[in-house]
Amino acid sequence: MLKLKQLIMKNFLLITVLMVTAFGFGQEKDKDKVSIFNRKHEIKVGAIHLLAGPILEGTYEHIYSKDFTFGSSILINLNNTTYYSDEFSVTPFARFYFQETKEYGAQGFFVEGFAKYFSGKYIPYGEGFGDTPKAFSSAALGIALGKKWINSSGFVFETLVGVGRTLGGADNKPDAVFRGDLSIGYRF
């Protein structure tokens, strides 16, 4: 009886070790199968804003399908002495991609619709260069055009240019907003 228990325990231990090993190697193969097609999230940083500002603009984009994505950008001006009027902004957006090949999906030429809430300091047009900027807070709606490139490992490069019209009647806000940058990021 004791030898039977020992034999069962040895075989049980051997089978358990083999199953854990097979499961472990199976997981590594599954990691290799996570292709660019199955990745649904992107994070990006605006390179021109960061270098010229310093203004930090981070973007998250969710890939809903090969032709449609949505996300949001957050901009924070790290240097309040610059003449860039926005000190903070949140910009939700939706993008529609247009291309013939859908190799990686959500890449190529796109059209973006965006809404923007922003605050900062602004010198209205026609006032002197040395005048004190006036604080404002406003919202805008706009459209942008861009192009995105992505490689097989998931690195993203994007260019974007757009314009929007501010909403409301306050005097100390810009009449229009510009949206644009060269962004570098990663799809995961």
Side-chain angles (χ1 to χ4, degrees):
M1 182 78 162
L2 184 60
K3 287 189 178 198
L4 183 61
K5 283 185 179 179
Q6 288 176 344
L7 183 62
I8 291 173
M9 288 304 288
K10 283 182 184 178
N11 287 335
F12 179 73
L13 184 61
L14 179 64
I15 291 171
T16 304
V17 168
L18 288 174
M19 288 179 68
V20 167
T21 305
F23 182 71
F25 284 118
Q27 289 299 317
E28 286 183 21
K29 289 179 184 175
D30 287 343
K31 284 182 188 175
D32 295 338
K33 290 183 182 178
V34 177
S35 72
I36 200 75
F37 300 108
N38 298 330
R39 298 178 187 180
K40 300 290 183 189
H41 310 280
E42 283 182 11
I43 54 171
K44 296 176 283 244
V45 174
I48 292 178
H49 279 129
L50 190 59
L51 294 174
I55 299 168
L56 179 63
E57 183 174 22
T59 301
Y60 168 78
E61 186 174 355
H62 178 75
I63 291 90
Y64 184 75
S65 71
K66 292 181 179 184
D67 299 326
F68 178 72
T69 66
F70 57 89
S72 184
S73 295
I74 295 177
L75 181 137
I76 300 170
N77 190 342
L78 302 172
N79 184 1
N80 292 337
T81 61
T82 63
Y83 288 99
Y84 190 77
S85 63
D86 294 3
E87 292 179 351
F88 174 79
S89 72
V90 176
T91 310
F93 60 84
R95 292 180 177 172
F96 296 93
Y97 288 85
F98 301 93
Q99 67 178 32
E100 292 178 18
T101 63
K102 306 286 187 204
E103 186 177 338
Y104 297 126
Q107 75 162 358
F109 175 74
F110 63 86
V111 175
E112 172 186 283
F114 67 89
K116 182 175 184 175
Y117 169 77
F118 58 110
S119 63
K121 295 178 182 163
Y122 177 67
I123 299 175
Y125 181 74
E127 295 189 19
F129 183 73
D131 289 349
T132 304
K134 298 173 183 167
F136 71 91
S137 180
S138 188
L141 294 174
I143 191 165
L145 302 174
K147 186 156 184 175
K148 183 191 297 184
W149 295 268
I150 182 167
N151 69 6
S152 60
S153 61
F155 288 98
V156 175
F157 177 75
E158 174 182 294
T159 181
L160 173 74
V161 175
V163 67
R165 183 81 170 154
T166 55
L167 306 173
D171 291 335
N172 59 340
K173 65 173 176 47
D175 292 330
V177 295
F178 172 76
R179 176 161 163 77
D181 209 340
L182 298 175
S183 299
I184 300 168
Y186 185 72
R187 184 178 289 185
F188 59 97

